[in-house]
Amino acid sequence: AGTFSLLEFYERRARRILPALFFVMAVSIPFAWLWLLPQYMKEFSESLVAVSTFASNVLFWKKGNYFDTAVELKPLIHTWSLAVEEQYYLLFPIFIIITWRYGKRLIVGLLVLIAVLSLGAADWGAYNHPISTFFLLPTRGWEIAVGALVAIYYAGRLKSNTSLYVRQSASILGFALIAFSIFAFDKNTPFPSLYALAPTAGAALVIVFATPQTYVGRALGTKFAVGIGLISYSAYLWHQPIFAFARHRSLVEPSQFFLGGLAGAAIVFAYLSWRFVEMPFRNKDRFSRSKVFGLAAIFSTAFVGVGLIGYYTAGTFGRENSKDLAELEYRERVNHGLGETCEGSFTLSAECRTSDSPEILVWGDSFAMHLIQGLVESRPGIKVIQNTVSSCGPILDIAQKDAKLGKKWAEDCIHENDEVYASLKSSKTIKYVLLSSPFSQYLGDDATIYFRDGSFLRINADQAYHYMISTLDRIKAIGIEPVVFSPTPMNGKDIGLCVIKAKKFALSSDQCDFELSEAISHQPRVFSLLKRVSESYKVVWLADGICRDGLCKATVGNKLIYRDGGHLSYEGSTFIGGEMGFYHLLTGN
């Protein structure tokens, strides 16, 4: 119509998005200040800055590493999708202004081309660079382009032009694709790859074809469904902070019943913020354009200021006991073994050995790294070399398939293990190999394994045992004694975090202890696998040092045993290794 205004467009976006977003952020700050530990407060502060500048997707992409804080504990992580949306809103109107004069046919053609290229990049990236692919606009843009094409469809024709049969069938198919995605996809589904076509195409089909005359249209047109739709943006904003803060305030993971209650609370808060925040700001008589932009600038500046203070004070600013808690957090820092250099890839660095003629090689992932202090404590002057790679278990010829790590990572894992084995064969001094890992990555119902030939396959316990025994046999065949150290007993909870929160909230850390039977029931396949292995090779059970009379301790005296849900802290490894005598258990000497 020739009446489009870029300023008016951004005003509408500001009215739609910012009031509820800023309200939820403002309410979150005092709860963060009261309940978050320093490291989490620092991360929350950083996210305040990123959200205010619509760069949170970039922040969480940069922070998406192996040792990063769990997603469930990040109050504002869900805003990554808002950032992608806003980045799109900055670019797309300019794209339309430039191309509009050339007609819709060219626009449609360019959008289809962009969508195809973006989808191709997303499908490749989901397997090779999954974290950046998940968070960044270039690989999410095709999903938004589908929405743009739907909008152009609406601008050019009416849905009533199609027959009821077509509308009925297409809307049911769309609904089915969305439902399929909900129940069929899991954490191992590469996303947003070609798999993402299912929910994206499903949503498009529902939008276009679910008219009031169709079954799906009638279901989605009920007062209840429409009501949920009206408050859905606020519900989206509220749910993650509510769940995250509840997890921070509780020593252990809240029950499903309690989380269900919080989901209901999120709906209530969503209605209130829709009614008293969203709706008033859409009223131009109450809030003029200048007021909307002025308030947006004020709140953005305030959030950036609060965020910078929290970040540069490492989350300790004006908070009681924060320095003591920060010290505890430091004691539970990532345990890289001999050094951080020894964590990322195979290396023969001098930093990753205690002697130029090592007697012992430690091989595995982070569950091998955390044993180093125990080994050193158990034998003064020990001659050890560390060959460890995060997440990469010490089993030859296979690697875990993980949607967050990607195919390239799995290929590299197999190669890294090949290098360790080649180094073993060429060594003139190594007599013992300590192998350790959680091993659960090879044993779960959804555990998918990557093979040397490039294929993926779900394997059973017998096959996992075969590959593990084969690895041990090959080590034995070159005249070196392999010894497997079990993972620590785990109960699925963050034991290290529990101890620090107990300190913060003046509770007893004994509440973080757990029964050995609970650990066995949490890791039944791992225990079963290692019992089979122990019939042929020596297996050292860490539960023998951590658990007494069936009770596994989170602390012993002032010593913190765990740094998280399974890894030993520096002092925990030193204590357990000394108590159990790791060197003697490994060598018999």
Side-chain angles (χ1 to χ4, degrees), residues 552-570:
C552 303
K553 299 292 290 181
T555 60
V556 177
N558 191 41
K559 296 179 179 64
L560 309 174
I561 303 302
Y562 291 83
R563 73 166 180 83
D564 57 13
H567 298 94
L568 294 171
S569 67
Y570 279 93

Side-chain angles (χ1 to χ4, degrees), residues 464-484:
Y465 171 79
H466 163 76
Y467 280 100
M468 188 168 180
I469 286 294
S470 173
T471 299
L472 299 174
D473 287 344
R474 290 166 68 178
I475 296 171
K476 185 76 171 178
I478 58 176
I480 298 174
E481 187 67 28
V483 178
V484 178

Side-chain angles (χ1 to χ4, degrees), residues 146 190 286 288:
V146 170
R286 297 184 64 176
S288 65

